[in-house]
């Protein structure tokens, strides 16, 4: 087994705004970055041979609501940044995070009803909309990290039905019981 620079996928954490860098305390040396600084980080990594990046949004509380509506708003900074990254680095492999928790005022990966129950099927609709708007930015891999039942099949159907058959899905959570 060999491991080389081109085998790595570098996680990036996107902040809204400009000239912003905040260290992630639990991951020394890793910073949350605004797009301008993230583009410089990607450029430096590309020169080192790192060509794959997983971009996670850091969403301010003011943008969150129960239905995670900003998650699939094409005018929101995360989706605009993904498009800019692919425009600047078309050869880079860009993976995204598909989960409601960064955008949800409840902080959960699914829609929570008034009784505290997770509404799985309604949540799939949001995840599908999120995946589709991310694919529309030109990214390469959809990365569901939620744990809703049936999410991968639902997302695959949405992507295929809209002409994004070549956008991959790489789920990186596992659900052992439901």
């Amino acid at each position: 087994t060999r491991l080389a620079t081109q085998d790595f996928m570098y996680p990036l954490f996107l902040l809204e705004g400009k000239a912003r860098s905040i260290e992630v305390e639990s991951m020394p040396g890793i910073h949350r970055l605004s797009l301008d600084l993230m583009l410089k980080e990607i450029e430096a990594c590309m020169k080192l041979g790192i060509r794959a990046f997983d971009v996670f949004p850091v969403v301010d509380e003011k943008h969150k609501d129960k239905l995670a509506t900003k998650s699939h708003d094409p005018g929101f900074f995360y989706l605009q940044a993904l498009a800019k990254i692919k425009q600047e680095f078309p050869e880079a492999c860009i993976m995204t995070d598909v989960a409601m928790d960064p955008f949800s005022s409840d902080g959960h990966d699914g829609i929570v009803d008034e009784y505290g129950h997770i509404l799985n099927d309604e949540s799939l609709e949001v995840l599908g909309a999120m995946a589709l708007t991310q694919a529309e930015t030109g990214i390469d891999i959809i990365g569901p990290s939620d744990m809703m039942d049936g999410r991968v099949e639902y997302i695959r159907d949405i992507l295929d039905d809209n002409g994004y058959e070549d956008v991959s899905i790489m789920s990186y959570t596992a659900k052992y019981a439901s």
Side-chain angles (χ1 to χ4, degrees):
T1 301
R2 294 183 199 160
L3 190 59
T5 310
Q6 65 267 18
D7 298 319
F8 291 109
M9 180 174 283
Y10 186 34
L12 295 167
F13 304 92
L14 180 68
L15 289 170
E16 188 174 23
K18 291 185 179 179
R20 295 183 65 202
S21 176
I22 302 170
E23 186 168 16
V24 179
E25 290 181 23
S26 61
M27 294 187 282
I30 301 295
H31 291 77
R32 295 176 178 101
L33 302 170
S34 55
L35 179 60
D36 55 331
L37 299 179
M38 186 172 286
L39 292 171
K40 291 177 184 176
E41 182 76 2
I42 292 171
E43 181 178 19
C45 289
M46 296 285 285
K47 288 178 181 175
L48 294 172
I50 300 169
R51 301 196 169 298
F53 305 89
D54 194 351
V55 183
F56 297 88
V58 179
V59 180
D60 286 336
E61 291 297 320
K62 67 184 178 188
H63 297 304
K64 298 179 181 187
D65 62 30
K66 290 185 73 60
L67 300 177
T69 55
K70 290 293 187 184
S71 68
H72 50 89
D73 175 352
F76 196 55
F77 82 94
Y78 180 58
L79 293 165
Q80 290 183 344
L82 294 173
K84 181 69 173 173
I85 291 167
K86 279 307 284 188
Q87 177 186 344
E88 295 287 322
F89 302 100
E91 71 280 17
C93 177
I94 304 298
M95 181 171 164
T96 58
D97 183 46
V98 173
M100 288 178 59
D101 62 310
F103 302 92
S104 170
S105 55
D106 291 321
H108 199 284
D109 278 334
I111 298 171
V112 181
D113 72 10
E114 64 272 14
Y115 305 106
H117 299 117
I118 305 302
L119 304 177
N120 189 87
D121 294 351
E122 293 85 342
S123 300
L124 292 180
E125 293 177 20
V126 175
L127 297 171
M130 188 183 308
L132 180 58
T133 55
Q134 290 177 5
E136 289 170 345
T137 69
I139 59 87
D140 305 285
I141 304 172
I142 297 293
S145 66
D146 68 288
M147 292 197 290
M148 297 297 108
D149 290 334
R151 74 205 195 278
V152 173
E153 180 181 21
Y154 190 90
I155 291 169
R156 179 78 273 151
D157 289 344
I158 292 285
L159 294 175
D160 290 353
D161 290 348
N162 287 278
Y164 294 99
E165 297 91 354
D166 293 335
V167 174
S168 299
I169 299 174
M170 185 171 76
S171 176
Y172 58 100
T173 58
K175 190 171 185 181
Y176 298 104
S178 58

